[in-house]
Amino acid sequence: MRYRELGRTGWKVSEISFGAWAIGGTWGEVDDQESLAALHRAVDLGVNFFDTADVYGLGRSERLMARLRKERKETLYITTKAGRRLEPHTPEGYNKANLTHFVEDSLRNLETDCIDLLQLHCPPPVLLYRPEVFGILDDLVRAGKIRYYGVSVETVEEALKSIEYPGVETIQIIFNMFRHRPAELFFPEAQRRRVGILARVPLASGLLSGRMTRQTPFAADDHRRFNRQGEAFDRGETFSGVDYEVGLEAVEILKGLVPPGFTLAQLALRWILMFDAVTCAIPGAKRAAQVEENVRASDLPPLSNALMAKVREVYDSRIRELVHQRW
Ligand SMILES: NC(=O)c1ccc[n+]([C@@H]2O[C@H](COP(=O)([O-])OP(=O)(O)OC[C@H]3O[C@@H](n4cnc5c(N)ncnc54)[C@H](OP(=O)(O)O)[C@@H]3O)[C@@H](O)[C@H]2O)c1
């Protein structure tokens, strides 16, 4: 495992880290023992950074993180998120009372007295024009409740706006072989300001593992069944916003580009790591075997320019029109 510096925090985090949404819920049934085994395997293999949120199984994912921390002696960085428990999800909801309440709940679930990194969880874009919200986060830092804060965003424009606030240490954004635009404008600017980048949905919800077909069954409570058109939350979070059938066709072409010794999932993750601005990819995983496959991407050789260009061609010809100007 290789490590990269996370923005200005001074932390060295595993370039393949762990996304803990699926082990909380909304991805079909999960078993806590199996999830814990996956988390332990990740730590065994050098993963030291975990991305969760208060809404993932309403504390279930956070509580698994607390258990993991108790059972391991390695230094682990755990980032959580706040805001999505607001109903309705309005900018007004991001006030001092609510944010403090969410943070206190996460502290309890995580069994800690200070959150390593708190991210606003894809807030309404207008919130980014309310500096007082970032003032509340600064107060939470001063109070010792959170060490650092960042923003998880949907769009490049939200990312660019967020990093105008000097206290924002990290941006979490969708970036993968089906989502190239963040690398154009946002990455250079984030690098210039030394802001950490967490690349989420790196496998396009598993599509880029190459193991899905038209017949793959998805449970009723799996967002890959109920959110394909953005029925429940932003469409971009499910298969990276790419129509499932179109995605499967593009994956067939990508399979022909996989170098010897790689799997398609590893190509997808290694592709992300080719961008220096990225601090880490945070693939979700429910099972130890998935973690093993994903983590190995860090030790694989860099991709050639020719291969990078071919991936780009697949994006340009099959995917770009569907996503490029949407996020
Ligand atoms: N708004 C936000 O802030 C936000 C939104 C989305 C995600 N995130 C974060 O980003 C993380 C990553 O994104 P994601 O989980 O949505 O998508 P992802 O990482 O692209 O896909 C994860 C899913 O792919 C499958 N998978 C993983 N490794 C695999 C492998 N080696 N072979 C085959 N299948 C594999 C697993 O599902 P199956 O086994 O069921 O197929 C897994 O749950 C999340 O866990 C979460 O921490 C944040």
Side-chain angles (χ1 to χ4, degrees):
M1 174 62 73
R2 279 184 281 241
Y3 298 81
R4 298 186 183 192
E5 242 172 76
L6 181 68
R8 307 173 300 260
T9 64
W11 301 345
K12 288 199 180 349
V13 304
S14 43
E15 59 182 17
I16 301 293
S17 286
F18 191 104
W21 178 16
I23 62 170
T26 339
W27 289 75
E29 207 174 310
V30 274
D31 171 74
D32 284 352
Q33 285 315 317
E34 203 167 32
S35 301
L36 270 172
L39 291 168
H40 275 289
R41 196 75 192 110
V43 180
D44 292 343
L45 297 173
V47 173
N48 68 352
F49 185 83
F50 296 81
D51 177 76
T52 184
D54 55 359
V55 278
Y56 297 166
L58 282 179
R60 184 181 185 180
S61 176
E62 288 185 326
R63 288 191 291 272
L64 285 168
M65 300 312 315
R67 276 186 66 181
L68 178 72
R69 216 176 219 165
K70 269 194 287 192
E71 292 171 12
R72 303 295 298 218
K73 47 183 186 327
E74 292 87 345
T75 298
L76 304 180
Y77 301 107
I78 296 170
T79 174
T80 193
K81 313 188 194 79
R84 286 278 158 173
R85 282 168 62 206
L86 289 169
E87 280 184 45
H89 183 229
T90 59
E92 291 66 39
Y94 286 76
N95 54 47
K96 185 158 193 143
N98 285 337
L99 282 172
T100 305
H101 175 68
F102 295 149
V103 162
E104 292 294 347
D105 285 350
S106 287
L107 287 169
R108 212 169 304 115
N109 286 332
L110 291 166
E111 298 183 46
T112 183
D113 48 18
C114 181
I115 291 170
D116 295 330
L117 172 70
L118 181 79
Q119 300 165 85
L120 298 178
H121 199 166
C122 292
V126 67
L127 194 83
L128 304 174
Y129 296 84
R130 299 194 180 173
E132 56 275 19
V133 174
F134 295 85
I136 297 170
L137 294 173
D138 288 328
D139 288 345
L140 286 165
V141 171
R142 272 191 288 272
K145 299 286 182 189
I146 63 179
R147 196 152 291 126
Y148 296 111
Y149 62 82
V151 188
S152 182
V153 299
E154 301 289 4
T155 68
V156 167
E157 284 65 31
E158 289 162 33
L160 286 166
K161 176 62 185 152
S162 298
I163 62 176
E164 288 186 18
Y165 294 97
V168 169
E169 302 284 350
T170 58
I171 292 294
Q172 184 180 134
I173 192 162
I174 298 180
F175 182 61
N176 60 42
M177 293 200 293
F178 284 171
R179 186 72 77 89
H180 292 203
R181 188 166 172 257
E184 293 176 359
L185 286 175
F186 167 57
F187 282 8
E189 188 56 18
Q191 257 179 323
R192 193 175 75 76
R193 294 177 188 257
R194 294 186 61 216
V195 171
I197 296 177
L198 315 178
R200 80 163 179 268
V201 196
L203 299 173
S205 313
L207 194 49
L208 288 171
S209 74
R211 304 226 167 81
M212 291 176 181
T213 66
R214 286 187 174 75
Q215 285 75 41
T216 301
F218 296 105
D221 61 343
D222 188 331
H223 71 99
R224 293 172 294 186
R225 177 146 155 204
F226 69 75
N227 194 52
R228 287 190 187 187
Q229 310 300 328
E231 295 90 334
F233 43 81
D234 194 281
R235 185 181 171 182
E237 306 297 349
T238 303
F239 300 126
S240 201
V242 175
D243 173 80
Y244 187 58
E245 308 270 324
V246 174
L248 286 174
E249 284 169 19
V251 161
E252 282 311 307
I253 307 173
L254 290 169
K255 280 181 182 171
L257 304 180
V258 177
F262 285 60
T263 63
L264 182 59
Q266 289 165 345
L267 168 62
L269 295 170
R270 196 69 191 80
W271 181 88
I272 292 170
L273 298 180
M274 292 300 292
F275 296 80
D276 292 340
V278 171
T279 311
C280 60
I282 50 168
K286 295 162 161 171
R287 289 179 290 284
Q290 292 176 336
V291 170
E292 286 163 12
E293 179 178 356
N294 298 343
V295 162
R296 215 169 296 131
S298 170
D299 296 324
L300 289 167
L303 309 181
S304 67
N305 289 340
L307 179 50
M308 291 300 284
K310 282 183 188 153
V311 172
R312 180 89 198 181
E313 266 171 44
V314 176
Y315 177 78
D316 286 345
S317 62
R318 300 283 173 148
I319 305 294
R320 172 184 273 272
E321 199 185 331
L322 299 172
V323 302
H324 204 74
Q325 296 304 339
R326 292 184 193 278
W327 290 279

